[in-house]
Amino acid sequence: MTVSANSPLRIARGGKAIYGAPLGILMLEARFPRIPGDMGNGTTWPFPVLYRVVSGASPEKVVLKGAAGLLPDFIDAAKDLVRLGAEAITTNCGFLSLFQKEIAAAVGVPVATSSLMQVPWVQATLPPGKRVGLVTVSGSTLTPAHLEGAGVPLDTPLVGTEHGKEFFRVLIKAEKDDMDIAQAERDVVEAGKELVAKNPDVGAIVLECTNMPPYAAALQAEVGLPVYDIYSMITWFHAGLRPRVFA
């Protein structure tokens, strides 16, 4: 092929297995339905993503048992995603803030393990006297170590969904594969209402669980406060990987 003197030389750079999907998502091993808005539903994202399921990392093990013994598996899976082409890594469970420093150190690319990492950003937007509150899938097992891993103040108020009728028992206890979406939404909304009722100084809510974005709008409408979740965080995260080109 002849290249004219006025034509720029175009070279495509290689070295990856997959292109055009710079964000890699580490997934827990589960069989509950992942509806649109859920992090594990590919249609949730306005950009392509890469998924990697971490074998043996059930929601129960991660959320109720502190992900004990699973760090090497998450690091190996994250490295696989980077080898495939991921330029940044996230996870589909906010409780994996426990592994934030270790995964970031191991893979050498930006890592955002948990929706909880938004709390300091959101707090900075609030007026004096207001603070961030959390809605989590399991308030009884979200420990100070989880909060510290994400840079969240230890006195942050939180309410879990473990006393609800559907969300917790399907996602964490795996009592069935199907899910009543309307009841799951009620569980999340009721937890948010309880949070605000008990803590009138809450000025914004961050949803810990990556399965909660489908219900964020309903919660916001009910409590009248800003609601942030893994979708708001990861769309921001991705924007730095692929900044918009303005003409």
Side-chain angles (χ1 to χ4, degrees):
M1 179 179 72
T2 301
V3 179
S4 89
N6 296 324
S7 299
L9 184 62
R10 301 181 65 189
I11 299 175
R13 303 294 180 184
K16 301 177 182 179
I18 298 174
Y19 293 80
L23 181 70
I25 302 177
L26 296 171
M27 298 289 297
L28 304 192
E29 189 172 37
R31 295 186 59 82
F32 56 79
R34 296 189 177 277
I35 63 176
D38 186 294
M39 194 175 194
N41 186 310
T43 67
T44 294
W45 305 108
F47 40 76
V49 299
L50 299 173
Y51 286 110
R52 174 71 154 76
V53 176
V54 180
S55 180
S58 70
E60 185 170 13
K61 287 182 181 179
V62 173
V63 172
L64 303 185
K65 300 180 180 179
L70 291 173
L71 177 58
D73 301 291
F74 277 97
I75 288 176
D76 288 346
K79 288 180 176 179
D80 282 346
L81 283 170
V82 172
R83 280 192 289 268
L84 282 175
E87 300 167 21
I89 298 294
T90 185
T91 85
N92 88 308
C93 183
F95 278 68
L96 289 169
S97 60
L98 288 175
F99 296 161
Q100 172 65 33
K101 292 180 179 179
E102 291 83 354
I103 296 176
V107 299
V109 300
V111 173
T113 53
S114 176
S115 178
L116 296 174
M117 296 172 71
Q118 294 174 101
V119 170
W121 319 340
V122 177
Q123 183 63 53
T125 72
L126 298 180
K130 292 294 183 180
R131 59 176 172 165
V132 179
L134 305 178
V135 173
T136 173
V137 70
S138 178
S140 61
T141 57
L142 190 66
T143 68
H146 292 99
L147 300 180
E148 288 177 349
V152 178
L154 299 186
D155 63 347
T156 299
L158 60 90
V159 172
T161 63
E162 56 263 59
H163 302 301
K165 297 179 180 179
E166 186 78 355
F167 193 78
F168 181 85
R169 71 188 191 94
V170 173
L171 272 66
I172 305 304
K173 300 301 290 183
E175 293 181 8
K176 58 178 182 174
D177 289 347
D178 298 333
M179 182 173 66
D180 181 334
I181 296 173
Q183 182 58 59
E185 179 178 288
R186 284 192 288 272
D187 289 348
V188 174
V189 170
E190 288 303 313
K193 290 170 62 178
E194 179 183 346
L195 172 70
V196 173
K198 290 181 175 179
N199 303 276
D201 60 341
V202 166
I205 295 173
V206 170
L207 305 180
E208 167 275 318
C209 181
T210 68
N211 313 107
M212 289 181 178
Y215 320 114
L219 175 57
Q220 191 281 327
E222 184 69 34
V223 300
L225 297 174
V227 176
Y228 300 89
D229 55 25
I230 193 65
Y231 183 82
S232 61
M233 176 172 159
I234 295 306
T235 50
W236 170 87
F237 193 40
H238 183 271
L241 304 176
R242 292 295 182 270
R244 179 179 170 185
V245 177
F246 294 91

